């Protein structure tokens, strides 16, 4: 009898945990498992604001896939997914094709622009290792250039973050924390540097605990960050941003963080989707497809209590992966499938240095206790992926 082919697309939080669980739950003779990813390394997206601002080496946010998965048990293909041909049960890659009996799609997210023109041309919007490296190098270049241009233009030292969601806040937290070091290193007077966070909604971190939002804003303002709230960006140009109010802010650096949509592969492959995310069945399969599971940022899951989608997070991607792996195994072994129910443990966001904010269970956390919790969450993921060895090798010091 032919072994079923399981193909997993994307080695992010969802793909890696699914792969690692399936290699444990299915024997060599029961299935052949293939993981496809753009790079031969896995990166922790949730850490990327740090290398982007230059407060952590990018090397700390990635690891070779063969260092965490046993490639005797799973085949790894380094390639770019181009399209899923559902009728033919095939995945088209840049350099070939793969046939599947069961497919797991964990291709993550892409930047959402809500139609604002100029983002891809003039802003940094890639939350990947390569994207983070580019932002860091660009920021340092702006500092280096400032004293070497006779005009000493203000826009060289103006840094705009578009969107005061968690990504924008965590990034400006790191950058504002690093600012004194950058100014000293490049002989730039601190008062010359302008940092803006521009947010369309009536508050930063819409929907989050107001007391914690105030704590974060006060802290960031004390480091020189200026918030422009209720202030949608309507265009990004070569010279800066145009606001809905008609004002322009000139800047050479615009970091885009106004939210995400699911991988463009989803829509390209003809799935019915909302902002690139497929509203999954309770067992995480794509509606009408018995053989395709969708996990992580490509999946849309409604929180019935408030009738709104759960925000796409690593926390949910990892939990989906556990259920997805179980359900793929269940289909192969003719067992019954599990229903996915997220167990939201809380939200913690770093603010640079030893500062953070968070809600864990019913508890609000500020400052160093939130920072401790944030590092423990980062380490917990490493533990789930590679056990205590991976935490010892690659974990963060929570103190
Ligand atoms: P990802 O982890 O993004 O992985 C997708 C993988 O697919 C990547 O390895 C990518 O290279 C690969 N890929 C993509 N396209 C292709 C292709 N065409 N071909 C081949 N491979 C491809 N969530 C939290 O819960 N807590 C946090 O603290 C948190 N912090 C965040 C901080 C930042 C700066 C950002 C940007 C996000 C943060 N998030 C956080 C959200 C979280 O990172 C995502 O929800 C999570 O990464 C989704 O996991 P995933 O497996 O769906 O995709
Ligand atoms: P988001 O959707 O959470 O926030 C984007 C923000 O941009 C919103 O506040 C929105 O009002 C604003 N915005 C949209 N269009 C705008 C415009 N034209 N001009 C100005 N502002 C505009 O997106 P995100 O911060 O990128 O986060 C993506 C996902 O990752 C979310 O689910 C988030 O919860 C998760 N995340 C979690 C953490 C954490 O838990 N620590 C950190 C980062 C990201």
């Amino acid at each position: 009898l032919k072994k079923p082919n399981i193909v997993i697309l994307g080695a992010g939080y969802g793909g890696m945990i699914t792969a690692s669980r399936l290699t444990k739950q299915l024997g060599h003779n029961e299935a052949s498992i293939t993981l496809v990813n753009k790079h031969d390394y896995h990166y922790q997206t949730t850490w990327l604001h740090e290398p982007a601002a230059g407060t952590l080496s990018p090397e700390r946010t990635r690891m070779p896939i063969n260092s965490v998965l046993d490639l005797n048990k799973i085949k790894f293909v380094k390639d770019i997914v181009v399209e899923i041909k559902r009728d033919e049960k095939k995945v088209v890659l840049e350099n070939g094709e793969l046939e599947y009996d069961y497919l797991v799609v964990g291709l993550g997210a892409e930047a959402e622009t809500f139609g604002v023109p100029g983002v891809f041309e003039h802003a940094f919007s890639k939350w990947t290792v390569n994207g983070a490296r580019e932002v860091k190098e660009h920021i340092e270049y702006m500092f280096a250039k400032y004293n070497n241009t006779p005009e000493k233009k203000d826009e060289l030292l103006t840094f705009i973050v578009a969107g005061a969601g968690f990504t924008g806040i965590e990034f400006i937290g790191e950058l504002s924390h690093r600012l004194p070091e950058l100014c000293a290193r490049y002989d730039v007077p601190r008062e010359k540097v302008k940092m803006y966070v521009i947010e369309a909604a009536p508050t930063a971190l819409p929907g989050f605990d107001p007391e914690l939002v105030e704590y974060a804003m006060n802290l960031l303002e004390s480091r020189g960050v200026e918030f422009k709230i209720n202030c949608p960006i309507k265009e990004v140009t070569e010279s800066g941003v145009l606001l809905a109010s008609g004002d322009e802010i000139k800047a050479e650096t615009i970091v885009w963080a106004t939210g995400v949509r699911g991988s463009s592969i989803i829509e390209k492959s003809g799935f019915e989707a909302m902002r690139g995310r497929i509203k999954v069945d309770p067992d995480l399969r794509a509606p009408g497809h018995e053989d395709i599971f969708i996990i992580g940022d490509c999946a849309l899951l409604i929180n019935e209590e408030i009738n709104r989608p759960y925000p796409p997070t690593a926390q949910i991607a990892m939990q989906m992966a556990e259920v997805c792996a179980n359900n793929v195994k269940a289909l192969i072994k003719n067992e019954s499938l599990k229903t996915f129910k997220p167990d939201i443990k809380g939200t913690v966001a770093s603010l640079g240095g030893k500062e953070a904010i968070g809600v864990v269970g019913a508890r609000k956390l500020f400052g160093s206790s939130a920072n401790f919790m944030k590092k423990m969450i980062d380490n917990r993921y490493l533990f789930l992926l590679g056990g205590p060895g991976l935490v010892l090798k690659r974990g963060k010091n929570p103190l």
Side-chain angles (χ1 to χ4, degrees):
L1 207 68
K2 181 180 160 282
K3 283 193 288 187
N5 262 333
I6 305 169
V7 174
I8 303 167
L9 306 181
Y13 289 85
M16 288 297 281
I17 297 281
T18 306
S20 114
R21 298 303 180 263
L22 276 173
T23 54
K24 296 192 176 85
Q25 290 171 10
L26 288 170
H28 232 342
N29 310 324
E30 289 173 301
S32 58
I33 312 171
T34 305
L35 173 68
V36 185
N37 196 56
K38 246 182 214 184
H39 312 108
D40 56 9
Y41 58 85
H42 158 67
Y43 57 79
Q44 297 104 277
T45 310
T46 65
W47 299 24
L48 288 175
H49 51 289
E50 297 175 69
T55 52
L56 184 74
S57 158
E59 293 311 314
R60 290 284 309 280
T61 63
R62 66 173 182 168
M63 58 188 85
I65 286 173
N66 66 7
S67 71
V68 266
L69 292 179
D70 182 349
L71 297 192
N72 293 314
K73 295 185 177 158
I74 184 164
K75 184 176 166 210
F76 174 67
V77 175
K78 179 178 171 231
D79 209 334
I80 295 181
V81 177
V82 177
E83 193 182 345
I84 300 160
K85 294 214 180 235
R86 296 173 289 157
D87 298 344
E88 299 168 49
K89 292 174 77 100
K90 248 181 5 199
V91 179
V92 182
L93 308 175
E94 245 178 37
N95 301 298
E97 285 186 347
L98 285 174
E99 288 182 359
Y100 63 82
D101 296 298
Y102 300 102
L103 184 68
V104 177
V105 183
L107 292 169
E110 294 173 12
E112 176 61 280
T113 66
F114 300 103
V116 172
V119 173
F120 297 118
E121 295 82 357
H122 308 299
F124 296 98
S125 63
K126 290 202 178 85
W127 293 96
T128 59
V129 171
N130 284 324
R133 278 195 288 234
E134 195 185 3
V135 173
K136 172 192 177 272
E137 299 289 333
H138 172 85
I139 290 173
E140 290 179 356
Y141 180 56
M142 294 298 102
F143 275 85
K145 197 169 166 185
Y146 180 74
N147 281 321
N148 294 306
T149 48
E151 315 89 308
K152 290 195 165 42
K153 286 196 207 143
D154 290 346
E155 45 269 44
L156 287 173
L157 295 179
T158 303
F159 301 94
I160 292 179
V161 174
F166 284 109
T167 301
I169 292 292
E170 288 200 312
F171 172 74
I172 204 68
E174 296 301 315
L175 183 62
S176 60
H177 176 69
R178 193 185 170 209
L179 199 63
E181 178 252 309
L182 278 169
C183 288
R185 173 137 57 112
Y186 291 95
D187 306 314
V188 165
R190 169 67 193 83
E191 62 278 9
K192 293 283 174 199
V193 180
K194 297 264 178 296
M195 294 174 290
Y196 294 99
V197 175
I198 304 179
E199 167 59 49
T203 168
L205 299 176
F208 200 53
D209 181 273
E211 197 188 348
L212 294 175
V213 175
E214 196 186 330
Y215 180 90
M217 287 179 76
N218 287 341
L219 175 82
L220 294 170
E221 281 169 348
S222 75
R223 295 184 190 155
V225 176
E226 195 176 316
F227 282 90
K228 290 197 167 289
I229 299 295
N230 238 333
C231 190
I233 295 174
K234 75 167 193 223
E235 189 175 345
V236 185
T237 66
E238 214 177 335
S239 53
V241 294
L242 297 177
L243 307 177
S245 61
D247 293 344
E248 181 185 12
I249 304 178
K250 286 196 188 318
E252 293 273 334
T253 310
I254 296 141
V255 175
W256 199 257
T258 67
V260 294
R261 52 188 293 117
S263 162
S264 49
I265 302 297
I266 297 286
E267 283 172 348
K268 197 172 164 195
S269 306
F271 287 97
E272 193 180 313
M274 279 179 262
R275 286 173 56 193
R277 301 171 74 195
I278 298 173
K279 189 161 177 281
V280 286
D281 287 341
D283 56 20
L284 298 178
R285 283 185 287 186
H289 295 84
E290 294 206 322
D291 47 2
I292 304 182
F293 290 83
I294 313 288
I295 56 172
D297 287 0
C298 293
L300 179 76
L301 195 75
I302 301 290
N303 181 346
E304 305 289 353
E305 281 167 31
I306 53 171
N307 199 25
R308 290 188 54 181
Y310 282 100
T313 62
Q315 185 177 176
I316 292 187
M318 287 150 60
Q319 292 178 11
M320 284 179 157
E322 303 277 358
V323 171
C324 171
N326 175 79
N327 286 354
V328 172
K329 176 210 68 174
L331 284 176
I332 289 170
K333 295 194 171 183
N334 237 336
E335 298 165 358
S336 56
L337 274 63
K338 280 189 184 158
T339 289
F340 177 71
K341 245 197 125 19
D343 171 20
I344 308 295
K345 300 192 186 320
T347 301
V348 185
S350 57
L351 298 172
K354 292 198 185 310
E355 283 288 351
I357 46 169
V359 175
V360 177
R363 278 184 66 207
K364 285 187 205 182
L365 301 173
F366 300 82
S368 54
S369 56
N371 173 61
F372 179 86
M373 184 57 79
K374 177 75 179 156
K375 304 269 177 6
M376 294 303 283
I377 293 168
D378 288 346
N379 289 346
R380 179 174 176 270
Y381 168 63
L382 298 177
F383 181 79
L384 289 175
L385 182 62
L390 194 60
V391 180
L392 281 174
K393 214 157 66 188
R394 311 201 52 105
K396 288 180 175 170
N397 178 358
L399 298 173

